[in-house]
Amino acid sequence: MKEIKNISRSRAQESSAAIERLYITMRHLFNRGFYKPMGVSGETLREALLALRPEIYGSIAEEKVELSGLLYVIERLPVGIEECRYINLTSDEGYSKSHFTPIVPPKRRRNCYRIDEEQMNVEITRGRSDIYDILTHLTFIFIESHKIKDRVLLDDIDVEVTRDWKKLEQTVLQNKKLSLKEKEIALSHVANILGRTFAELLDIYDAFGTSEKPDRFLHVIYWLGKIAIEEVVDNNKRTITFSPILRERLGHHIHGEIWANNIKEVLKQNDLLGRPIHIISANMHSVMNSIFATSVLKNKFKDKSDFFVFEELSKSGAHELRSKVENVALQQGMYFLPDTSGTNIDVQIFDTAKIDIAKSAFPKAKIGAEKPVIIVMDYAFGEQAYETIDELLKPYKQGKTSSLLNVESVSIMGKAGILEGGKGDIMIPNAHINEGTADNYSFENELTASMFEGNDISVFAGPMVTVLGTSLQNRDLLKFFHDSTWAAIGLEMEGSYYQKAIQSASKIRKSINPNVKVRYAYYASDNPLETGSTLASGGLGTTGVKPTYLITIKILVQIFNVK
């Protein structure tokens, strides 16, 4: 009988298994309807996240509290969630019609409602990816809260805490704006509590603050620790619940169907349904600015390059300039559809028949007699990409009749993590690989790397990995995808879901042209394989302006047949 080999698993294999466990566990907990993150029911989720050790969560597996990861997460969760013991994930269930004021996190478009002192409701209208995103973020902050508890709770029977914790409590409960002296005294105590240096806390302090709460950092640390202490001392566990309506609706494309029908109604009302249609997933400014901005603002920015104009428009105080461009666009066939479906995806429709092409940035455009229609949709979130595009590509139904849409192309422009190169570089995929499964989608991309050469931006071509969530990116697994025969160049969250919907509509259901053209291009927001270059290290600033517009212009050049 052959001796059984002792096979050891690599970190990449362990990470892949951890992601699969996270995925399965989160779906199980959702079906169950509730769980206690720091109790027995949340144990598998905690263990899987600690085994994975995502780059964005930094020192999650160490004793000291992770600061950059905490800031990243707090910016994506509603203000005040650290005070709540009960978090209820709901569908859109009518809270917008109540007296509750919606709380929208600064870096995630989702409506949240503080029901009372102990409960926060979070609306899920963007599909399962939204749930994975929230649950991993909550698991992370709860793990960090117990690190705080471990460092300050000396005796859980007599509830004896450290002097540092008592001083922090006194400061926070004063509920007033601190002087510089008071802030620095509090920080010296918090440094001991978190196992971090005074300088580290000073560097990140203001990033947590808001205009209303400049000292929010202390508030967050105190409430995370306080509720963790009460979980141990009083056995009063935090609980996450999923509303019955959410569990009933999820996966049924309810929001996506309303969203797509709204678009088709506008097309119908303006006699655009029968025209050639080009769909672009991008932001709400790059297509509009690429067509109109240079001609509208040419007198203000004489002898300046187009990219200089785009950078000026991207600045936070450029409201007046942006309004000028938008007003011209609205006069020349642009329709703006702010979202009312709950998808949080706004839409612009451009009727090229009404654009003064000679005065646009594409005077040599050959748009033909049929005059195409361009639909620009804001970025989807993870699995929501399948829901929205799948519904949009379905035939338009009116009564018993239905008419197919004449979709000529679908273009996806987005932000992604890069595995070779740095922030602002461009990635041109030829396939999407679904992380954690064997699913993969290859396609012929109308965009090529050679089209972007000569612009002082590095360009990479190859497969890209569609990940479960940016918060789950793991160095070992990504290194495997990059170094192995997969030869992946980057990672993003929506690509395979878009392609799955496009392939089923064009190749199987035959609801759109079987030879529909697809274009995918991404610009790099971070490099998770480089220390200090993850998403938690900060935004792109103006670095993202040039690649964003370069990609947009290349897409429009093909749509407008500019030779």
Side-chain angles (χ1 to χ4, degrees):
M1 183 174 164
K2 281 186 179 177
E3 187 182 336
I4 297 170
K5 287 184 179 178
N6 183 17
I7 301 169
S8 62
R9 295 195 306 166
S10 69
R11 270 290 298 148
Q13 287 170 318
E14 286 173 4
S15 302
S16 183
I19 284 173
E20 196 172 357
R21 280 204 311 280
L22 278 164
Y23 183 67
I24 292 165
T25 303
M26 285 191 277
R27 293 191 78 148
H28 163 71
L29 294 172
F30 173 75
N31 290 332
R32 183 179 186 230
F34 75 98
Y35 78 104
K36 295 183 178 180
M38 301 311 289
V40 176
S41 51
E43 191 173 3
T44 309
L45 209 53
R46 296 197 308 274
E47 285 177 353
L49 200 61
L50 287 166
L52 184 61
R53 296 200 295 276
E55 298 307 307
I56 219 155
Y57 294 153
S59 55
I60 185 173
E62 298 172 28
E63 277 185 29
K64 59 185 178 183
V65 173
E66 166 61 28
L67 295 177
S68 297
L70 187 60
L71 174 62
Y72 178 86
V73 168
I74 285 294
E75 288 178 328
R76 285 154 180 79
L77 292 172
V79 172
I81 198 163
E82 67 277 3
E83 300 173 20
C84 297
R85 198 181 309 282
Y86 302 99
I87 295 157
N88 185 26
L89 305 190
T90 73
S91 179
D92 180 358
E93 298 175 20
Y95 284 100
S96 58
K97 296 176 179 143
S98 69
H99 76 280
F100 296 113
T101 306
I103 306 167
V104 181
K107 298 285 180 77
R108 276 282 187 272
R109 289 173 300 175
R110 52 170 72 109
N111 288 333
C112 309
Y113 300 92
R114 184 75 178 264
I115 304 303
D116 55 36
E117 284 184 2
E118 290 191 308
Q119 183 178 333
M120 181 76 75
N121 280 14
V122 182
E123 270 186 11
I124 303 292
T125 56
R126 306 171 79 183
R128 287 192 185 91
S129 294
D130 223 3
I131 293 176
Y132 306 148
D133 186 61
I134 288 168
L135 292 190
T136 48
H137 286 341
L138 290 174
T139 304
F140 165 72
I141 66 166
F142 295 162
I143 288 171
E144 296 300 303
S145 76
H146 273 248
K147 287 187 196 174
I148 297 169
K149 178 265 299 175
D150 290 341
R151 298 182 72 93
V152 301
L153 186 60
L154 302 174
D155 187 332
D156 59 353
I157 296 170
D158 296 327
V159 198
E160 188 184 346
V161 292
T162 63
R163 178 175 178 272
D164 290 313
W165 182 256
K166 288 173 185 171
K167 291 291 182 183
L168 173 62
E169 187 169 48
Q170 279 174 15
T171 306
V172 170
L173 296 182
Q174 282 175 16
N175 222 2
K176 63 164 192 171
K177 188 178 178 182
L178 304 179
S179 66
L180 178 63
K181 183 181 175 183
E182 288 170 326
K183 170 182 138 182
E184 291 187 348
I185 290 171
L187 280 184
S188 69
H189 293 300
V190 176
N192 286 339
I193 291 168
L194 303 185
R196 292 286 184 174
T197 66
F198 181 82
E200 283 177 308
L201 301 195
L202 214 52
D203 285 344
I204 207 161
Y205 191 88
D206 290 337
F208 276 84
T210 62
S211 51
E212 298 83 27
K213 284 188 175 180
D215 303 305
R216 190 176 172 225
F217 175 71
L218 301 177
H219 191 90
V220 168
I221 299 301
Y222 171 71
W223 279 99
L224 286 177
K226 176 181 165 61
I227 293 185
I229 290 168
E230 288 174 3
E231 280 193 305
V232 172
V233 173
D234 303 327
N235 199 28
N236 199 353
K237 303 281 188 204
R238 281 174 277 214
T239 306
I240 294 176
T241 53
F242 307 90
S243 81
I245 305 295
L246 175 65
R247 291 162 67 202
E248 180 186 304
R249 286 179 177 175
L250 196 75
H252 291 181
H253 291 198
I254 287 167
H255 301 288
E257 186 179 2
I258 296 166
W259 175 83
N261 286 343
N262 289 344
I263 296 169
K264 291 168 191 173
E265 284 299 326
V266 173
L267 293 174
K268 174 73 175 171
Q269 288 163 15
N270 293 281
D271 295 324
L272 303 175
L273 261 180
R275 304 251 290 272
I277 291 171
H278 298 271
I279 299 166
I280 304 175
S281 171
N283 49 57
M284 286 287 100
H285 54 79
S286 60
V287 173
M288 177 179 71
N289 290 345
S290 296
I291 297 171
F292 299 105
T294 46
S295 60
V296 172
L297 303 173
K298 64 184 175 187
N299 292 330
K300 184 170 178 63
F301 298 110
K302 284 178 181 172
D303 306 320
K304 297 291 184 184
S305 71
D306 290 357
F307 290 110
F308 177 86
V309 176
F310 299 145
E311 277 199 20
E312 289 299 305
L313 282 163
S314 300
K315 289 179 178 174
S316 56
H319 306 296
E320 195 179 323
L321 292 178
R322 287 198 287 268
S323 292
K324 276 186 180 178
V325 178
E326 190 175 351
N327 288 337
V328 171
L330 289 166
Q331 290 162 19
Q332 294 192 31
M334 184 182 91
Y335 303 89
F336 177 59
L337 284 64
D339 180 61
T340 55
S341 67
T343 59
N344 281 307
I345 299 176
D346 295 335
V347 171
Q348 294 164 331
I349 297 174
F350 294 85
D351 179 358
T352 60
K354 293 181 179 176
I355 297 173
D356 188 343
I357 291 293
K359 290 182 181 176
S360 75
F362 302 91
K364 295 181 180 177
K366 297 180 179 69
I367 54 177
E370 287 189 283
K371 311 291 187 202
V373 173
I374 301 171
I375 298 172
V376 181
M377 58 179 282
D378 209 343
Y379 299 121
F381 188 73
E383 285 189 32
Q384 187 191 34
Y386 177 77
E387 175 179 336
T388 48
I389 289 288
D390 184 57
E391 291 297 331
L392 186 55
L393 298 182
K394 284 179 181 177
Y396 172 71
K397 287 188 177 179
Q398 200 170 29
K400 291 183 179 178
T401 62
S402 64
S403 48
L404 302 179
L405 299 186
N406 182 13
V407 179
E408 290 202 347
S409 75
V410 182
S411 305
I412 312 298
M413 186 269 284
K415 208 162 48 168
I418 197 166
L419 300 178
E420 187 179 336
K423 288 185 178 184
D425 291 346
I426 289 174
M427 291 160 278
I428 308 296
N430 55 24
H432 286 109
I433 310 152
N434 242 2
E435 182 186 47
T437 71
D439 298 351
N440 51 78
Y441 302 87
S442 62
F443 48 84
E444 192 173 325
N445 196 340
E446 295 295 313
L447 299 174
T448 63
S450 59
M451 292 176 185
F452 294 88
E453 288 170 0
N455 289 287
D456 297 323
I457 292 176
S458 299
V459 188
F460 301 89
M464 289 185 72
V465 184
T466 299
V467 297
L468 200 59
T470 50
S471 56
L472 296 178
Q473 57 192 27
N474 165 273
R475 185 190 298 265
D476 300 292
L477 191 54
L478 296 177
K479 203 168 185 323
F480 164 74
F481 274 120
H482 178 253
D483 295 347
S484 70
T485 50
W486 285 112
I489 57 169
L491 62 145
E492 48 74 56
M493 278 185 68
E494 293 82 25
S496 66
Y497 301 117
Y498 280 124
Q499 192 57 27
K500 180 163 69 169
I502 295 164
Q503 281 183 198
S504 62
S506 60
K507 308 294 184 194
I508 302 168
R509 303 166 86 167
K510 306 288 194 253
S511 55
I512 62 167
N513 180 357
N515 298 314
V516 64
K517 293 178 178 178
V518 293
R519 304 180 189 92
Y520 289 90
Y522 301 90
Y523 59 95
S525 57
D526 65 304
N527 185 333
L529 294 183
E530 284 184 11
T531 304
S533 294
T534 68
L535 280 170
S537 66
L540 272 165
T542 55
T543 313
V545 174
K546 187 173 181 180
T548 298
Y549 281 92
L550 197 55
I551 293 167
T552 307
I553 289 164
K554 296 296 180 186
I555 291 169
L556 290 171
V557 160
Q558 292 195 356
I559 291 172
F560 288 144
N561 292 313
V562 178
K563 302 297 181 191

